[in-house]
Amino acid sequence: YASVYNGGFHGMIILYQLAPAFSSAITWPPFWAIWEGRHIRSPDTDGMNGRRWSETLTYNGPDGIASTPDSPAPYLSRIFNTEGSPFGYRGIPWVSVVHMFSAWQQNPGLFSQTLAQQVAAETSRIQNSLQIDETISAGYAQGEFKLLKNRLNVLTGVRYERTVDEGMGPFSDPNAVYVRNANGSLARTPAGALVRKPGAGAVGSMEELRVVRQERAAHGRGVYADYFPSVHATYNITDNLLARAAYAYTYGRPNFGDIIATTTIQERTDLDGNENPDVLPGSITVTNPNLVPWTADNYDLSLEYYTPRGGMFTVGAFRKDIKDFFGSGTKIATVEDLNALELDPRYVGFEIRTKFNAGSARVSGMEFSARHSLAPLGGWGRYFSAFVNGTKLRLEGGQSSDFSTFIPTTANWGFVFRKENVSVGLRWNYRGEVPGSLQTAFGPDGRNYSEAIMKMDLTVGYELTPRLSLAGNVKNLLDADTVRLRYGSQTPGYARQAGRSQYGAMISVGLKGRF
């Protein structure tokens, strides 16, 4: 079949073959071979072809003069200034955006933009004008068979996938306002001053902005393809005890924000060409369209036990050996690097700051899970069931490795009460401290972190009819704060907190039906 949606295309062809049994010990069920293709080209509203900007305006007041003081009292909120605010404050005189906008419509002179604000708004627009097309072609074959009198089940297959990403983003060169010599060096007056281009306008002008920043002038194209085999085996040791083993070759794609082409060049203007060769002439901050997905060999082992009362206990171990893992860092630009980035060779020796495929890493760990009724504890226990699960990771990699998508420690536990048409559940979720991106300003091992947090959720339900029930949910019932940290081994404890967010509890109530 084929379908078209949002400017994209998706198609699939399925081939089905029933292979004969070639041995009495092995039974072959259906074999599947599938090809699929997907082309994503999205409209401006979804972020893959996005134009976003922000503007700042100056409040002039009713008299139209920004320098005279004007009271915001006419625009005070009539609702939120009577509500409680964080940290115990009340009666904060919030300004109503609705009232302010209504007054602006009636009096256009209420707000105006300075030249600096106009330039800032246009800079924001150019920097946030991004576009990327992604085309994915894939196919896979899958088979399943049983051995050892059907006690061993094996599912195996292989998938091929090819991805093409083509993107555009902003190009920024602050020194584009200066005249250059034929050899690419910056032209100077006899006194050593830089020569400014006539068309560059004044410093901070809109003309300067047009020269320095180019919308969607940075281009990039990335192509990667590979085969991804896997095999999963399940062995029934007894009717209630299962052993599982699996191997899979997998991958992790880079985020669009890491591969949509953007380039910012900062060139030192205090050099005359005779400096120490160890002095960096400038820096280039770029995204990396050639960033390829990391790939990993994944190994999993687990045991599962099912009780006569419907409970389940599992324990497992796993390891992920990663190649081409993502990392953030710097390197000195070579001709090959600049060719790959489609930049002029005159930037040889500049420091390149980007995300790159940093090398090898390993993620290993243990996990467990248990779920059971409390009926063995007495008659009251038949109304309750309890559960608990947890995962512990060990993260190994270079200093630049980006483990921000891996949570080293997680745990969930709770219970559910059910009696007749009433159900109540409480769940606790613990997430350990999560490492983020490098922050070398806080030392060579400085990083961003998300502080460990524990949240509690509440769910309730009441069955009105066999098909209709009331349902309610409260997430983060105890209003746990989200804390961001930024530190290295040399950062004192009192200076580690970088921010705190308080989102409150999220409550949802509704009807749930089955028809």
Side-chain angles (χ1 to χ4, degrees), residues 317-337:
F318 54 87
R319 193 175 89 179
K320 181 189 295 285
D321 293 329
I322 305 174
K323 300 176 183 177
D324 294 323
F325 197 50
F326 300 149
S328 299
T330 61
K331 64 180 299 187
I332 303 302
T334 64
V335 173
E336 291 76 15
D337 296 327

Side-chain angles (χ1 to χ4, degrees), residues 206-287:
M206 194 66 73
E207 291 80 8
E208 180 187 61
L209 173 64
R210 299 301 184 194
V211 173
V212 169
R213 298 182 187 273
Q214 306 297 320
E215 182 180 5
R216 298 193 176 186
H219 300 80
R221 185 175 190 268
V223 181
Y224 49 87
D226 210 338
Y227 292 91
F228 302 95
S230 66
V231 57
H232 305 264
T234 303
Y235 182 68
N236 291 67
I237 301 174
T238 69
D239 291 340
N240 295 342
L241 183 63
L242 303 180
R244 299 184 188 273
Y247 165 79
Y249 182 60
T250 61
Y251 68 102
R253 294 181 182 275
N255 295 325
F256 278 147
D258 294 327
I259 59 177
I260 296 178
T262 63
T263 303
T264 300
I265 299 174
Q266 295 285 349
E267 183 176 0
R268 294 184 60 171
T269 59
D270 57 344
L271 305 179
D272 60 12
N274 299 316
E275 285 75 22
N276 187 322
D278 294 330
V279 176
L280 294 176
S283 65
I284 304 172
T285 302
V286 297
T287 53

Side-chain angles (χ1 to χ4, degrees), residues 495-512:
R496 295 191 171 194
Q497 182 170 307
R500 178 182 293 268
S501 301
Q502 188 178 45
Y503 298 103
M506 186 172 70
I507 304 173
S508 58
V509 179
L511 286 172
K512 183 168 63 176

Side-chain angles (χ1 to χ4, degrees), residues 318 366-368 388-393 405-413 428-434 453:
F318 54 87
M366 301 283 293
E367 58 187 352
F368 71 93
V388 60
N389 60 71
T391 302
K392 179 66 176 178
L393 303 181
T405 57
F406 295 88
I407 304 176
T409 305
T410 59
N412 298 276
W413 65 92
W428 286 262
N429 170 261
Y430 172 80
R431 188 194 67 189
E433 187 173 272
V434 181
I453 187 173

Side-chain angles (χ1 to χ4, degrees), residues 57-386:
L57 295 92
T58 298
Y59 176 59
N60 299 319
D63 60 1
I65 303 175
S67 59
T68 60
D70 295 285
S71 172
Y75 320 111
L76 289 182
S77 171
R78 300 163 189 168
I79 299 175
F80 292 107
N81 63 345
T82 63
E83 299 293 325
S85 302
F87 307 105
Y89 292 101
R90 298 187 64 85
I92 297 178
W94 299 109
V95 171
S96 169
V97 177
V98 174
H99 298 332
M100 184 72 75
F101 183 72
S102 177
W104 187 24
Q105 287 180 310
Q106 299 175 28
N107 179 13
L110 197 61
F111 290 94
S112 63
Q113 273 191 318
T114 65
L115 175 61
Q117 290 171 335
Q118 294 175 28
V119 171
E122 181 64 3
T123 299
S124 172
R125 187 191 69 80
I126 294 173
Q127 287 299 111
N128 290 284
S129 179
L130 308 170
Q131 185 269 334
I132 187 169
D133 284 352
E134 180 171 87
T135 304
I136 302 172
S137 301
Y140 68 88
Q142 177 179 301
E144 183 180 14
F145 57 90
K146 296 181 181 294
L147 297 166
L148 304 178
K149 299 181 179 180
N150 291 336
R151 299 184 72 88
L152 176 63
N153 184 79
V154 180
L155 176 67
T156 186
V158 62
R159 176 182 178 86
Y160 171 80
E161 188 165 297
R162 182 177 186 269
T163 302
V164 180
D165 290 316
E166 297 181 88
M168 298 184 292
F171 182 92
S172 175
D173 182 1
N175 287 340
V177 298
Y178 299 119
V179 175
R180 292 186 179 273
N181 298 314
N183 63 0
S185 62
L186 293 171
R188 297 177 182 271
T189 66
L194 294 170
V195 180
R196 193 174 178 87
K197 293 178 179 178
V203 175
S205 67
M206 194 66 73
E207 291 80 8
E208 180 187 61
L209 173 64
R210 299 301 184 194
V211 173
V212 169
R213 298 182 187 273
Q214 306 297 320
E215 182 180 5
R216 298 193 176 186
H219 300 80
R221 185 175 190 268
V223 181
Y224 49 87
D226 210 338
Y227 292 91
F228 302 95
S230 66
V231 57
H232 305 264
T234 303
Y235 182 68
N236 291 67
I237 301 174
T238 69
D239 291 340
N240 295 342
L241 183 63
L242 303 180
R244 299 184 188 273
Y247 165 79
Y249 182 60
T250 61
Y251 68 102
R253 294 181 182 275
N255 295 325
F256 278 147
D258 294 327
I259 59 177
I260 296 178
T262 63
T263 303
T264 300
I265 299 174
Q266 295 285 349
E267 183 176 0
R268 294 184 60 171
T269 59
D270 57 344
L271 305 179
D272 60 12
N274 299 316
E275 285 75 22
N276 187 322
D278 294 330
V279 176
L280 294 176
S283 65
I284 304 172
T285 302
V286 297
T287 53
N288 186 358
N290 295 312
L291 190 68
V292 299
W294 55 256
T295 58
D297 293 299
N298 300 267
Y299 309 90
D300 293 87
L301 292 171
S302 65
L303 284 174
E304 300 178 7
Y305 177 71
Y306 298 86
T307 71
R309 291 181 176 268
M312 181 184 71
F313 297 87
T314 69
V315 62
F318 54 87
R319 193 175 89 179
K320 181 189 295 285
D321 293 329
I322 305 174
K323 300 176 183 177
D324 294 323
F325 197 50
F326 300 149
S328 299
T330 61
K331 64 180 299 187
I332 303 302
T334 64
V335 173
E336 291 76 15
D337 296 327
L338 296 172
N339 288 337
L341 296 171
E342 299 183 7
L343 293 176
D344 195 288
R346 71 169 179 264
Y347 297 122
V348 168
F350 276 52
E351 182 181 65
I352 295 179
R353 302 170 182 172
T354 188
K355 179 171 283 190
F356 54 91
N357 294 107
S360 300
R362 174 176 291 174
V363 178
S364 54
M366 301 283 293
E367 58 187 352
F368 71 93
S369 176
R371 184 185 70 243
H372 206 279
S373 167
L374 300 185
L377 301 179
W380 61 270
R382 69 182 184 273
Y383 303 117
F384 292 86
S385 61

Side-chain angles (χ1 to χ4, degrees), residues 407-448:
I407 304 176
T409 305
T410 59
N412 298 276
W413 65 92
F415 67 87
V416 177
F417 168 83
R418 289 189 178 89
K419 184 178 181 182
E420 297 175 352
N421 54 353
V422 177
S423 65
V424 179
L426 278 177
R427 171 191 290 269
W428 286 262
N429 170 261
Y430 172 80
R431 188 194 67 189
E433 187 173 272
V434 181
S437 58
L438 282 172
Q439 289 290 326
T440 53
F442 290 79
D445 59 349
R447 282 187 179 274
N448 288 315

